[in-house]
Amino acid sequence: AQSVTQLDSHVSVSEGTPVLLRCNYSSSYSPSLFWYVQHPNKGLQLLLKYTSAATLVKGINGFEAEFKKSETSFHLTKPSAHMSDAAEYFCVVRGGNKLTFGTGTQLKVEL
Amino acid sequence: SAVISQKPSRDICQRGTSLTIQCQVDSQVTMMFWYRQQPGQSLTLIATANQGSEATYESGFVIDKFPISRPNLTFSTLTVSNMSPEDSSIYLCSAKTGEETQYFGPGTRLLVL
């Protein structure tokens, strides 16, 4: 069985400052991990994915995530937050064909 | 990639009635799925829609309550039957191509009164 834990339900940053959204995973085998973003009243959009290639994964809109097996983590980062980044972010682990979602982190970006 | 559309985008229904949600993908996909996102919560997989055969349901979800059809490789429907206010949720269709990536539709926002 696999699971993910998003360590923060809410994160608030100022525009132009770094973003860190934390995710830990549990998987009985080499996992595939994803970050999705959900803007208000919009569908889910894939930000990036890790599928056992490079451990540092670059995604869209300047986001990236680093897979750290020793820490069972897959934290999402961005060097400089923009107002348009305000949304809910989901860390997801795949087991077989099934996706298991974390509980989500609501990112707030303030002026 | 795959672009997924859903109809309706939202609906308000009376308890005891049923609603069928349609999902259309712009290309042939290997797998299709239905998820539920209850208010303020994360996504939960309801079932995998299998083409030409019965859907595979996750624990806690049954065919009588959530019948699913998938007549071809690009289309699926989810019916929410005998609705109650507890069924008020966002229902999302998802599809997987031959790649690792799973794509999601915009969701159907359902309110049951």
Side-chain angles (χ1 to χ4, degrees), chain A residues 32 36 38 41-44 46 49 51 90 94 97-99 101-103, chain B residues 10 31 33 35 37 42-43 45 58 92 96 99-102 104-106 109:
Chain A
S32 292
Y36 283 84
Q38 187 177 39
N41 299 314
K42 297 283 182 65
L44 284 163
L46 179 67
K49 61 183 179 182
T51 54
F90 292 97
R94 194 185 73 201
N97 288 309
K98 180 178 177 179
L99 296 185
F101 282 73
T103 51
Chain B
R10 60 180 68 236
M31 304 191 76
F33 309 86
Y35 287 81
Q37 186 178 22
S42 187
L43 280 77
L45 179 63
E58 296 298 307
L92 295 106
K96 183 174 175 291
E99 315 161 17
E100 299 278 346
T101 305
Q102 201 162 316
F104 286 82
R109 285 157 178 77

PDB file of all heavy atoms in Angstrom, chain A residues 32 36 38 41-44 46 49 51 90 94 97-99 101-103, chain B residues 10 31 33 35 37 42-43 45 58 92 96 99-102 104-106 109:
ATOM      1  N   SER A  32       6.132   6.212  -8.056  1.00  0.00           N
ATOM      2  CA  SER A  32       5.951   7.318  -8.982  1.00  0.00           C
ATOM      3  C   SER A  32       5.212   8.394  -8.196  1.00  0.00           C
ATOM      4  O   SER A  32       4.189   8.114  -7.570  1.00  0.00           O
ATOM      5  CB  SER A  32       5.131   6.882 -10.193  1.00  0.00           C
ATOM      6  OG  SER A  32       5.844   5.962 -10.982  1.00  0.00           O
ATOM      7  N   TYR A  36       0.091  17.935  -8.262  1.00  0.00           N
ATOM      8  CA  TYR A  36      -0.972  18.552  -9.041  1.00  0.00           C
ATOM      9  C   TYR A  36      -1.376  19.859  -8.364  1.00  0.00           C
ATOM     10  O   TYR A  36      -1.296  19.989  -7.142  1.00  0.00           O
ATOM     11  CB  TYR A  36      -2.204  17.649  -9.116  1.00  0.00           C
ATOM     12  CG  TYR A  36      -2.113  16.484 -10.080  1.00  0.00           C
ATOM     13  CD1 TYR A  36      -1.516  15.290  -9.695  1.00  0.00           C
ATOM     14  CD2 TYR A  36      -2.635  16.570 -11.369  1.00  0.00           C
ATOM     15  CE1 TYR A  36      -1.446  14.213 -10.580  1.00  0.00           C
ATOM     16  CE2 TYR A  36      -2.569  15.504 -12.253  1.00  0.00           C
ATOM     17  CZ  TYR A  36      -1.975  14.328 -11.846  1.00  0.00           C
ATOM     18  OH  TYR A  36      -1.908  13.259 -12.728  1.00  0.00           O
ATOM     19  N   GLN A  38      -4.612  22.771  -8.127  1.00  0.00           N
ATOM     20  CA  GLN A  38      -6.037  23.018  -8.381  1.00  0.00           C
ATOM     21  C   GLN A  38      -6.353  24.463  -8.036  1.00  0.00           C
ATOM     22  O   GLN A  38      -6.372  24.837  -6.871  1.00  0.00           O
ATOM     23  CB  GLN A  38      -6.899  22.061  -7.558  1.00  0.00           C
ATOM     24  CG  GLN A  38      -8.389  22.127  -7.892  1.00  0.00           C
ATOM     25  CD  GLN A  38      -9.193  21.096  -7.091  1.00  0.00           C
ATOM     26  OE1 GLN A  38      -8.933  20.862  -5.913  1.00  0.00           O
ATOM     27  NE2 GLN A  38     -10.175  20.473  -7.740  1.00  0.00           N
ATOM     28  N   ASN A  41     -12.224  26.661  -8.504  1.00  0.00           N
ATOM     29  CA  ASN A  41     -13.229  26.354  -9.524  1.00  0.00           C
ATOM     30  C   ASN A  41     -12.623  25.874 -10.840  1.00  0.00           C
ATOM     31  O   ASN A  41     -13.233  26.024 -11.901  1.00  0.00           O
ATOM     32  CB  ASN A  41     -14.130  27.562  -9.785  1.00  0.00           C
ATOM     33  CG  ASN A  41     -14.885  27.963  -8.539  1.00  0.00           C
ATOM     34  OD1 ASN A  41     -15.447  27.118  -7.843  1.00  0.00           O
ATOM     35  ND2 ASN A  41     -14.860  29.241  -8.215  1.00  0.00           N
ATOM     36  N   LYS A  42     -11.423  25.315 -10.752  1.00  0.00           N
ATOM     37  CA  LYS A  42     -10.787  24.769 -11.949  1.00  0.00           C
ATOM     38  C   LYS A  42     -10.448  23.298 -11.723  1.00  0.00           C
ATOM     39  O   LYS A  42     -10.468  22.791 -10.600  1.00  0.00           O
ATOM     40  CB  LYS A  42      -9.488  25.541 -12.254  1.00  0.00           C
ATOM     41  CG  LYS A  42      -9.692  27.000 -12.573  1.00  0.00           C
ATOM     42  CD  LYS A  42     -10.194  27.208 -13.974  1.00  0.00           C
ATOM     43  CE  LYS A  42     -10.365  28.671 -14.313  1.00  0.00           C
ATOM     44  NZ  LYS A  42      -9.085  29.401 -14.328  1.00  0.00           N
ATOM     45  N   GLY A  43     -10.101  22.617 -12.800  1.00  0.00           N
ATOM     46  CA  GLY A  43      -9.696  21.225 -12.688  1.00  0.00           C
ATOM     47  C   GLY A  43      -8.274  21.085 -12.193  1.00  0.00           C
ATOM     48  O   GLY A  43      -7.582  22.058 -11.918  1.00  0.00           O
ATOM     49  N   LEU A  44      -7.829  19.850 -12.081  1.00  0.00           N
ATOM     50  CA  LEU A  44      -6.474  19.559 -11.629  1.00  0.00           C
ATOM     51  C   LEU A  44      -5.500  19.654 -12.795  1.00  0.00           C
ATOM     52  O   LEU A  44      -5.753  19.129 -13.877  1.00  0.00           O
ATOM     53  CB  LEU A  44      -6.418  18.150 -11.065  1.00  0.00           C
ATOM     54  CG  LEU A  44      -7.007  17.958  -9.679  1.00  0.00           C
ATOM     55  CD1 LEU A  44      -7.270  16.502  -9.424  1.00  0.00           C
ATOM     56  CD2 LEU A  44      -6.068  18.518  -8.635  1.00  0.00           C
ATOM     57  N   LEU A  46      -1.413  18.966 -13.855  1.00  0.00           N
ATOM     58  CA  LEU A  46      -0.158  18.334 -13.452  1.00  0.00           C
ATOM     59  C   LEU A  46       0.964  19.361 -13.453  1.00  0.00           C
ATOM     60  O   LEU A  46       1.196  20.043 -14.459  1.00  0.00           O
ATOM     61  CB  LEU A  46       0.183  17.203 -14.409  1.00  0.00           C
ATOM     62  CG  LEU A  46       1.487  16.466 -14.119  1.00  0.00           C
ATOM     63  CD1 LEU A  46       1.393  15.680 -12.815  1.00  0.00           C
ATOM     64  CD2 LEU A  46       1.846  15.537 -15.269  1.00  0.00           C
ATOM     65  N   LYS A  49       6.258  15.418 -12.376  1.00  0.00           N
ATOM     66  CA  LYS A  49       6.184  14.010 -11.998  1.00  0.00           C
ATOM     67  C   LYS A  49       7.582  13.429 -11.837  1.00  0.00           C
ATOM     68  O   LYS A  49       8.524  13.842 -12.530  1.00  0.00           O
ATOM     69  CB  LYS A  49       5.408  13.207 -13.038  1.00  0.00           C
ATOM     70  CG  LYS A  49       6.028  13.213 -14.430  1.00  0.00           C
ATOM     71  CD  LYS A  49       5.148  12.459 -15.416  1.00  0.00           C
ATOM     72  CE  LYS A  49       5.756  12.489 -16.818  1.00  0.00           C
ATOM     73  NZ  LYS A  49       4.898  11.812 -17.824  1.00  0.00           N
ATOM     74  N   THR A  51       9.428   9.687 -11.949  1.00  0.00           N
ATOM     75  CA  THR A  51       9.192   8.285 -12.295  1.00  0.00           C
ATOM     76  C   THR A  51      10.511   7.541 -12.397  1.00  0.00           C
ATOM     77  O   THR A  51      10.773   6.853 -13.367  1.00  0.00           O
ATOM     78  CB  THR A  51       8.419   8.179 -13.617  1.00  0.00           C
ATOM     79  OG1 THR A  51       9.122   8.919 -14.634  1.00  0.00           O
ATOM     80  CG2 THR A  51       7.018   8.711 -13.488  1.00  0.00           C
ATOM     81  N   PHE A  90      -1.644  19.314  -4.467  1.00  0.00           N
ATOM     82  CA  PHE A  90      -1.779  17.933  -4.013  1.00  0.00           C
ATOM     83  C   PHE A  90      -0.539  17.120  -4.377  1.00  0.00           C
ATOM     84  O   PHE A  90      -0.111  17.117  -5.536  1.00  0.00           O
ATOM     85  CB  PHE A  90      -3.003  17.261  -4.650  1.00  0.00           C
ATOM     86  CG  PHE A  90      -4.317  17.824  -4.193  1.00  0.00           C
ATOM     87  CD1 PHE A  90      -4.977  18.774  -4.953  1.00  0.00           C
ATOM     88  CD2 PHE A  90      -4.889  17.394  -3.009  1.00  0.00           C
ATOM     89  CE1 PHE A  90      -6.187  19.290  -4.540  1.00  0.00           C
ATOM     90  CE2 PHE A  90      -6.106  17.912  -2.580  1.00  0.00           C
ATOM     91  CZ  PHE A  90      -6.754  18.866  -3.346  1.00  0.00           C
ATOM     92  N   ARG A  94       1.574   7.012  -6.930  1.00  0.00           N
ATOM     93  CA  ARG A  94       0.883   6.023  -7.757  1.00  0.00           C
ATOM     94  C   ARG A  94       1.335   4.620  -7.383  1.00  0.00           C
ATOM     95  O   ARG A  94       2.535   4.363  -7.276  1.00  0.00           O
ATOM     96  CB  ARG A  94       1.146   6.245  -9.240  1.00  0.00           C
ATOM     97  CG  ARG A  94       0.165   5.450 -10.118  1.00  0.00           C
ATOM     98  CD  ARG A  94       0.480   5.573 -11.571  1.00  0.00           C
ATOM     99  NE  ARG A  94       1.674   4.806 -11.889  1.00  0.00           N
ATOM    100  CZ  ARG A  94       2.420   5.036 -12.953  1.00  0.00           C
ATOM    101  NH1 ARG A  94       2.127   6.006 -13.758  1.00  0.00           N
ATOM    102  NH2 ARG A  94       3.466   4.288 -13.182  1.00  0.00           N
ATOM    103  N   ASN A  97      -2.170   1.205 -11.093  1.00  0.00           N
ATOM    104  CA  ASN A  97      -2.911   2.236 -11.821  1.00  0.00           C
ATOM    105  C   ASN A  97      -3.667   3.173 -10.892  1.00  0.00           C
ATOM    106  O   ASN A  97      -4.443   4.006 -11.353  1.00  0.00           O
ATOM    107  CB  ASN A  97      -3.893   1.577 -12.785  1.00  0.00           C
ATOM    108  CG  ASN A  97      -3.183   0.953 -13.965  1.00  0.00           C
ATOM    109  OD1 ASN A  97      -2.371   1.609 -14.609  1.00  0.00           O
ATOM    110  ND2 ASN A  97      -3.466  -0.307 -14.232  1.00  0.00           N
ATOM    111  N   LYS A  98      -3.466   3.040  -9.605  1.00  0.00           N
ATOM    112  CA  LYS A  98      -4.231   3.822  -8.641  1.00  0.00           C
ATOM    113  C   LYS A  98      -3.409   4.982  -8.114  1.00  0.00           C
ATOM    114  O   LYS A  98      -2.272   4.814  -7.682  1.00  0.00           O
ATOM    115  CB  LYS A  98      -4.671   2.937  -7.475  1.00  0.00           C
ATOM    116  CG  LYS A  98      -5.480   3.666  -6.426  1.00  0.00           C
ATOM    117  CD  LYS A  98      -5.924   2.719  -5.339  1.00  0.00           C
ATOM    118  CE  LYS A  98      -6.682   3.467  -4.257  1.00  0.00           C
ATOM    119  NZ  LYS A  98      -7.156   2.576  -3.191  1.00  0.00           N
ATOM    120  N   LEU A  99      -4.007   6.190  -8.151  1.00  0.00           N
ATOM    121  CA  LEU A  99      -3.396   7.372  -7.563  1.00  0.00           C
ATOM    122  C   LEU A  99      -3.944   7.568  -6.155  1.00  0.00           C
ATOM    123  O   LEU A  99      -5.157   7.506  -5.952  1.00  0.00           O
ATOM    124  CB  LEU A  99      -3.703   8.618  -8.396  1.00  0.00           C
ATOM    125  CG  LEU A  99      -3.155   8.676  -9.809  1.00  0.00           C
ATOM    126  CD1 LEU A  99      -3.467  10.034 -10.435  1.00  0.00           C
ATOM    127  CD2 LEU A  99      -1.662   8.412  -9.845  1.00  0.00           C
ATOM    128  N   PHE A 101      -4.038  10.415  -3.246  1.00  0.00           N
ATOM    129  CA  PHE A 101      -3.821  11.840  -3.052  1.00  0.00           C
ATOM    130  C   PHE A 101      -3.558  12.173  -1.590  1.00  0.00           C
ATOM    131  O   PHE A 101      -4.138  11.574  -0.679  1.00  0.00           O
ATOM    132  CB  PHE A 101      -5.068  12.620  -3.504  1.00  0.00           C
ATOM    133  CG  PHE A 101      -5.181  12.761  -4.984  1.00  0.00           C
ATOM    134  CD1 PHE A 101      -5.537  11.691  -5.781  1.00  0.00           C
ATOM    135  CD2 PHE A 101      -4.928  13.980  -5.595  1.00  0.00           C
ATOM    136  CE1 PHE A 101      -5.636  11.814  -7.155  1.00  0.00           C
ATOM    137  CE2 PHE A 101      -5.028  14.122  -6.974  1.00  0.00           C
ATOM    138  CZ  PHE A 101      -5.372  13.039  -7.749  1.00  0.00           C
ATOM    139  N   GLY A 102      -2.671  13.162  -1.389  1.00  0.00           N
ATOM    140  CA  GLY A 102      -2.549  13.742  -0.073  1.00  0.00           C
ATOM    141  C   GLY A 102      -3.737  14.640   0.219  1.00  0.00           C
ATOM    142  O   GLY A 102      -4.612  14.854  -0.641  1.00  0.00           O
ATOM    143  N   THR A 103      -3.755  15.174   1.408  1.00  0.00           N
ATOM    144  CA  THR A 103      -4.901  15.983   1.842  1.00  0.00           C
ATOM    145  C   THR A 103      -4.869  17.402   1.313  1.00  0.00           C
ATOM    146  O   THR A 103      -5.817  18.151   1.489  1.00  0.00           O
ATOM    147  CB  THR A 103      -4.974  16.010   3.369  1.00  0.00           C
ATOM    148  OG1 THR A 103      -3.692  16.383   3.883  1.00  0.00           O
ATOM    149  CG2 THR A 103      -5.360  14.643   3.920  1.00  0.00           C
TER     150      THR A 103
ATOM    151  N   ARG B  10     -21.915  21.712 -13.540  1.00  0.00           N
ATOM    152  CA  ARG B  10     -22.495  21.789 -12.199  1.00  0.00           C
ATOM    153  C   ARG B  10     -23.981  21.515 -12.269  1.00  0.00           C
ATOM    154  O   ARG B  10     -24.597  21.655 -13.330  1.00  0.00           O
ATOM    155  CB  ARG B  10     -22.233  23.142 -11.549  1.00  0.00           C
ATOM    156  CG  ARG B  10     -22.796  24.327 -12.323  1.00  0.00           C
ATOM    157  CD  ARG B  10     -22.494  25.637 -11.593  1.00  0.00           C
ATOM    158  NE  ARG B  10     -21.088  25.952 -11.583  1.00  0.00           N
ATOM    159  CZ  ARG B  10     -20.392  26.173 -10.463  1.00  0.00           C
ATOM    160  NH1 ARG B  10     -20.973  26.109  -9.295  1.00  0.00           N
ATOM    161  NH2 ARG B  10     -19.119  26.491 -10.529  1.00  0.00           N
ATOM    162  N   MET B  31      -6.941   3.910 -19.951  1.00  0.00           N
ATOM    163  CA  MET B  31      -7.742   3.748 -18.748  1.00  0.00           C
ATOM    164  C   MET B  31      -8.486   5.025 -18.413  1.00  0.00           C
ATOM    165  O   MET B  31      -7.998   6.128 -18.663  1.00  0.00           O
ATOM    166  CB  MET B  31      -6.853   3.347 -17.563  1.00  0.00           C
ATOM    167  CG  MET B  31      -6.027   2.088 -17.816  1.00  0.00           C
ATOM    168  SD  MET B  31      -5.231   1.448 -16.357  1.00  0.00           S
ATOM    169  CE  MET B  31      -6.616   0.692 -15.518  1.00  0.00           C
ATOM    170  N   PHE B  33     -10.990   6.797 -15.153  1.00  0.00           N
ATOM    171  CA  PHE B  33     -11.286   6.687 -13.733  1.00  0.00           C
ATOM    172  C   PHE B  33     -12.300   7.753 -13.320  1.00  0.00           C
ATOM    173  O   PHE B  33     -12.403   8.798 -13.951  1.00  0.00           O
ATOM    174  CB  PHE B  33     -10.014   6.911 -12.895  1.00  0.00           C
ATOM    175  CG  PHE B  33      -8.832   6.086 -13.304  1.00  0.00           C
ATOM    176  CD1 PHE B  33      -7.973   6.531 -14.306  1.00  0.00           C
ATOM    177  CD2 PHE B  33      -8.569   4.878 -12.693  1.00  0.00           C
ATOM    178  CE1 PHE B  33      -6.870   5.776 -14.678  1.00  0.00           C
ATOM    179  CE2 PHE B  33      -7.468   4.118 -13.057  1.00  0.00           C
ATOM    180  CZ  PHE B  33      -6.621   4.570 -14.050  1.00  0.00           C
ATOM    181  N   TYR B  35     -13.328  10.009  -9.803  1.00  0.00           N
ATOM    182  CA  TYR B  35     -12.939  10.408  -8.456  1.00  0.00           C
ATOM    183  C   TYR B  35     -14.033  11.276  -7.852  1.00  0.00           C
ATOM    184  O   TYR B  35     -14.798  11.938  -8.559  1.00  0.00           O
ATOM    185  CB  TYR B  35     -11.639  11.233  -8.482  1.00  0.00           C
ATOM    186  CG  TYR B  35     -10.398  10.439  -8.760  1.00  0.00           C
ATOM    187  CD1 TYR B  35     -10.053  10.084 -10.066  1.00  0.00           C
ATOM    188  CD2 TYR B  35      -9.540  10.064  -7.730  1.00  0.00           C
ATOM    189  CE1 TYR B  35      -8.889   9.372 -10.322  1.00  0.00           C
ATOM    190  CE2 TYR B  35      -8.373   9.355  -7.975  1.00  0.00           C
ATOM    191  CZ  TYR B  35      -8.059   9.010  -9.280  1.00  0.00           C
ATOM    192  OH  TYR B  35      -6.910   8.295  -9.533  1.00  0.00           O
ATOM    193  N   GLN B  37     -14.434  14.393  -4.860  1.00  0.00           N
ATOM    194  CA  GLN B  37     -13.774  15.340  -3.968  1.00  0.00           C
ATOM    195  C   GLN B  37     -14.845  15.993  -3.125  1.00  0.00           C
ATOM    196  O   GLN B  37     -15.545  16.901  -3.583  1.00  0.00           O
ATOM    197  CB  GLN B  37     -12.974  16.387  -4.750  1.00  0.00           C
ATOM    198  CG  GLN B  37     -12.161  17.305  -3.864  1.00  0.00           C
ATOM    199  CD  GLN B  37     -11.335  18.297  -4.656  1.00  0.00           C
ATOM    200  OE1 GLN B  37     -11.626  18.603  -5.815  1.00  0.00           O
ATOM    201  NE2 GLN B  37     -10.286  18.815  -4.045  1.00  0.00           N
ATOM    202  N   SER B  42      -9.685  15.924   0.042  1.00  0.00           N
ATOM    203  CA  SER B  42      -8.879  15.498  -1.089  1.00  0.00           C
ATOM    204  C   SER B  42      -9.694  14.597  -2.012  1.00  0.00           C
ATOM    205  O   SER B  42     -10.890  14.394  -1.802  1.00  0.00           O
ATOM    206  CB  SER B  42      -7.652  14.757  -0.569  1.00  0.00           C
ATOM    207  OG  SER B  42      -6.773  14.482  -1.628  1.00  0.00           O
ATOM    208  N   LEU B  43      -9.039  14.077  -3.014  1.00  0.00           N
ATOM    209  CA  LEU B  43      -9.713  13.237  -3.989  1.00  0.00           C
ATOM    210  C   LEU B  43      -9.676  11.775  -3.559  1.00  0.00           C
ATOM    211  O   LEU B  43      -8.656  11.288  -3.076  1.00  0.00           O
ATOM    212  CB  LEU B  43      -9.046  13.352  -5.361  1.00  0.00           C
ATOM    213  CG  LEU B  43      -9.415  14.568  -6.192  1.00  0.00           C
ATOM    214  CD1 LEU B  43      -8.691  15.809  -5.701  1.00  0.00           C
ATOM    215  CD2 LEU B  43      -9.105  14.310  -7.656  1.00  0.00           C
ATOM    216  N   LEU B  45     -10.654   7.879  -5.101  1.00  0.00           N
ATOM    217  CA  LEU B  45     -11.007   7.103  -6.289  1.00  0.00           C
ATOM    218  C   LEU B  45     -12.289   6.329  -6.040  1.00  0.00           C
ATOM    219  O   LEU B  45     -12.395   5.592  -5.041  1.00  0.00           O
ATOM    220  CB  LEU B  45      -9.876   6.138  -6.638  1.00  0.00           C
ATOM    221  CG  LEU B  45     -10.084   5.226  -7.842  1.00  0.00           C
ATOM    222  CD1 LEU B  45     -10.221   6.042  -9.127  1.00  0.00           C
ATOM    223  CD2 LEU B  45      -8.939   4.223  -7.971  1.00  0.00           C
ATOM    224  N   GLU B  58     -13.710   0.788  -5.847  1.00  0.00           N
ATOM    225  CA  GLU B  58     -12.886   0.838  -4.646  1.00  0.00           C
ATOM    226  C   GLU B  58     -13.748   0.529  -3.422  1.00  0.00           C
ATOM    227  O   GLU B  58     -14.992   0.593  -3.477  1.00  0.00           O
ATOM    228  CB  GLU B  58     -12.250   2.208  -4.511  1.00  0.00           C
ATOM    229  CG  GLU B  58     -11.282   2.530  -5.633  1.00  0.00           C
ATOM    230  CD  GLU B  58     -10.095   1.591  -5.694  1.00  0.00           C
ATOM    231  OE1 GLU B  58      -9.424   1.419  -4.656  1.00  0.00           O
ATOM    232  OE2 GLU B  58      -9.862   1.021  -6.780  1.00  0.00           O
ATOM    233  N   LEU B  92     -14.871  14.007 -10.541  1.00  0.00           N
ATOM    234  CA  LEU B  92     -13.860  14.247 -11.578  1.00  0.00           C
ATOM    235  C   LEU B  92     -13.601  12.975 -12.376  1.00  0.00           C
ATOM    236  O   LEU B  92     -13.435  11.897 -11.812  1.00  0.00           O
ATOM    237  CB  LEU B  92     -12.546  14.714 -10.963  1.00  0.00           C
ATOM    238  CG  LEU B  92     -12.597  16.065 -10.259  1.00  0.00           C
ATOM    239  CD1 LEU B  92     -12.560  15.883  -8.756  1.00  0.00           C
ATOM    240  CD2 LEU B  92     -11.436  16.943 -10.700  1.00  0.00           C
ATOM    241  N   LYS B  96      -5.858   7.990 -18.425  1.00  0.00           N
ATOM    242  CA  LYS B  96      -4.424   7.697 -18.493  1.00  0.00           C
ATOM    243  C   LYS B  96      -4.106   7.203 -19.895  1.00  0.00           C
ATOM    244  O   LYS B  96      -4.769   6.305 -20.404  1.00  0.00           O
ATOM    245  CB  LYS B  96      -4.071   6.642 -17.459  1.00  0.00           C
ATOM    246  CG  LYS B  96      -2.613   6.279 -17.356  1.00  0.00           C
ATOM    247  CD  LYS B  96      -2.401   5.326 -16.197  1.00  0.00           C
ATOM    248  CE  LYS B  96      -0.966   4.833 -16.125  1.00  0.00           C
ATOM    249  NZ  LYS B  96      -0.624   3.935 -17.239  1.00  0.00           N
ATOM    250  N   GLU B  99       1.418   6.907 -21.376  1.00  0.00           N
ATOM    251  CA  GLU B  99       2.480   7.480 -20.546  1.00  0.00           C
ATOM    252  C   GLU B  99       2.163   7.242 -19.076  1.00  0.00           C
ATOM    253  O   GLU B  99       1.147   6.664 -18.718  1.00  0.00           O
ATOM    254  CB  GLU B  99       2.567   8.999 -20.777  1.00  0.00           C
ATOM    255  CG  GLU B  99       2.525   9.432 -22.216  1.00  0.00           C
ATOM    256  CD  GLU B  99       2.148  10.914 -22.312  1.00  0.00           C
ATOM    257  OE1 GLU B  99       2.238  11.632 -21.311  1.00  0.00           O
ATOM    258  OE2 GLU B  99       1.747  11.330 -23.409  1.00  0.00           O
ATOM    259  N   GLU B 100       3.026   7.764 -18.230  1.00  0.00           N
ATOM    260  CA  GLU B 100       2.797   7.677 -16.793  1.00  0.00           C
ATOM    261  C   GLU B 100       1.694   8.618 -16.331  1.00  0.00           C
ATOM    262  O   GLU B 100       1.110   8.439 -15.287  1.00  0.00           O
ATOM    263  CB  GLU B 100       4.086   8.047 -16.056  1.00  0.00           C
ATOM    264  CG  GLU B 100       5.268   7.145 -16.344  1.00  0.00           C
ATOM    265  CD  GLU B 100       5.211   5.886 -15.504  1.00  0.00           C
ATOM    266  OE1 GLU B 100       4.427   5.851 -14.550  1.00  0.00           O
ATOM    267  OE2 GLU B 100       5.948   4.940 -15.819  1.00  0.00           O
ATOM    268  N   THR B 101       1.435   9.655 -17.118  1.00  0.00           N
ATOM    269  CA  THR B 101       0.625  10.762 -16.622  1.00  0.00           C
ATOM    270  C   THR B 101      -0.854  10.462 -16.651  1.00  0.00           C
ATOM    271  O   THR B 101      -1.368   9.844 -17.583  1.00  0.00           O
ATOM    272  CB  THR B 101       0.905  12.012 -17.452  1.00  0.00           C
ATOM    273  OG1 THR B 101       2.303  12.266 -17.427  1.00  0.00           O
ATOM    274  CG2 THR B 101       0.160  13.207 -16.903  1.00  0.00           C
ATOM    275  N   GLN B 102      -1.552  10.928 -15.628  1.00  0.00           N
ATOM    276  CA  GLN B 102      -3.001  10.832 -15.557  1.00  0.00           C
ATOM    277  C   GLN B 102      -3.560  12.253 -15.635  1.00  0.00           C
ATOM    278  O   GLN B 102      -3.121  13.142 -14.914  1.00  0.00           O
ATOM    279  CB  GLN B 102      -3.414  10.161 -14.246  1.00  0.00           C
ATOM    280  CG  GLN B 102      -4.801   9.571 -14.259  1.00  0.00           C
ATOM    281  CD  GLN B 102      -5.002   8.570 -13.136  1.00  0.00           C
ATOM    282  OE1 GLN B 102      -4.148   7.725 -12.865  1.00  0.00           O
ATOM    283  NE2 GLN B 102      -6.128   8.672 -12.463  1.00  0.00           N
ATOM    284  N   PHE B 104      -6.903  15.014 -15.786  1.00  0.00           N
ATOM    285  CA  PHE B 104      -8.184  15.180 -15.115  1.00  0.00           C
ATOM    286  C   PHE B 104      -9.072  16.151 -15.878  1.00  0.00           C
ATOM    287  O   PHE B 104      -8.604  17.119 -16.479  1.00  0.00           O
ATOM    288  CB  PHE B 104      -7.973  15.703 -13.695  1.00  0.00           C
ATOM    289  CG  PHE B 104      -7.444  14.658 -12.755  1.00  0.00           C
ATOM    290  CD1 PHE B 104      -6.092  14.376 -12.714  1.00  0.00           C
ATOM    291  CD2 PHE B 104      -8.297  13.948 -11.941  1.00  0.00           C
ATOM    292  CE1 PHE B 104      -5.593  13.400 -11.874  1.00  0.00           C
ATOM    293  CE2 PHE B 104      -7.822  12.969 -11.085  1.00  0.00           C
ATOM    294  CZ  PHE B 104      -6.464  12.697 -11.049  1.00  0.00           C
ATOM    295  N   GLY B 105     -10.361  15.870 -15.816  1.00  0.00           N
ATOM    296  CA  GLY B 105     -11.344  16.796 -16.335  1.00  0.00           C
ATOM    297  C   GLY B 105     -11.571  17.933 -15.355  1.00  0.00           C
ATOM    298  O   GLY B 105     -11.048  17.925 -14.235  1.00  0.00           O
ATOM    299  N   PRO B 106     -12.392  18.920 -15.750  1.00  0.00           N
ATOM    300  CA  PRO B 106     -12.623  20.090 -14.907  1.00  0.00           C
ATOM    301  C   PRO B 106     -13.538  19.816 -13.726  1.00  0.00           C
ATOM    302  O   PRO B 106     -13.649  20.643 -12.822  1.00  0.00           O
ATOM    303  CB  PRO B 106     -13.262  21.093 -15.867  1.00  0.00           C
ATOM    304  CG  PRO B 106     -13.924  20.232 -16.884  1.00  0.00           C
ATOM    305  CD  PRO B 106     -13.058  19.024 -17.048  1.00  0.00           C
ATOM    306  N   ARG B 109     -19.620  19.836 -10.394  1.00  0.00           N
ATOM    307  CA  ARG B 109     -19.965  20.259  -9.034  1.00  0.00           C
ATOM    308  C   ARG B 109     -21.433  19.951  -8.779  1.00  0.00           C
ATOM    309  O   ARG B 109     -22.305  20.512  -9.436  1.00  0.00           O
ATOM    310  CB  ARG B 109     -19.674  21.749  -8.869  1.00  0.00           C
ATOM    311  CG  ARG B 109     -18.195  22.016  -8.734  1.00  0.00           C
ATOM    312  CD  ARG B 109     -17.792  23.418  -9.114  1.00  0.00           C
ATOM    313  NE  ARG B 109     -16.364  23.621  -8.912  1.00  0.00           N
ATOM    314  CZ  ARG B 109     -15.413  23.173  -9.725  1.00  0.00           C
ATOM    315  NH1 ARG B 109     -15.740  22.515 -10.814  1.00  0.00           N
ATOM    316  NH2 ARG B 109     -14.147  23.399  -9.459  1.00  0.00           N
TER     317      ARG B 109
END
